[in-house]
Amino acid sequence: MTDPATSALTRLEATVRTRIAAGEAEASYVASLVAKGHGHVARKLGEEAIELVVAAVEGEEPEIVAEAADLIFHLTVLLAARGIGWDAIAAELDRRTGVSGHAEKASRGA
């Protein structure tokens, strides 16, 4: 049985990659974002992150869910534009499984 969250991310990633490859900025929001460069995509992701933080502090569940979806969408665009897939993110999360958050952060020198 396929996990609904994984399935949704897989479909989203495929759609985003298709739209980036088509490069039709006039017809596709994804393509228009990517056409403006990585910096623009990153700033848009930052805006969405701030909106989620505000919703988490002040909003109700429907607003938090909507803003979280916006954040994940824009993160998917950023990752795809950089040639990174959700499989790479999943592998990194798997690598960290069972490792103390403090130890993992220390291993990165952060």
Side-chain angles (χ1 to χ4, degrees):
M1 185 168 156
T2 303
D3 174 31
T6 302
S7 180
L9 288 175
T10 300
R11 285 191 314 272
L12 175 60
E13 182 180 350
T15 300
V16 165
R17 287 182 180 280
T18 298
R19 300 222 171 118
I20 290 171
E24 298 172 354
E26 314 78 44
S28 167
Y29 175 68
V30 170
S32 69
L33 279 176
V34 173
K36 294 175 184 172
H38 296 311
H40 180 79
V41 178
R43 284 188 294 280
K44 185 61 181 169
L45 178 63
E47 290 172 20
E48 297 300 336
I50 291 167
E51 290 173 9
L52 176 56
V53 169
V54 171
V57 172
E58 301 174 359
E60 299 295 325
E61 182 177 337
E63 183 181 3
I64 295 168
V65 168
E67 294 300 343
D70 287 349
L71 181 68
I72 290 169
F73 169 81
H74 286 88
L75 176 57
T76 303
V77 173
L78 178 89
L79 293 171
R82 298 302 305 258
I84 302 167
W86 280 112
D87 56 340
I89 306 306
E92 176 62 12
L93 292 171
D94 284 344
R95 184 191 67 77
R96 295 180 185 189
T97 299
V99 177
S100 157
H102 294 300
E104 195 286 324
K105 188 171 181 181
S107 75
R108 291 185 280 140

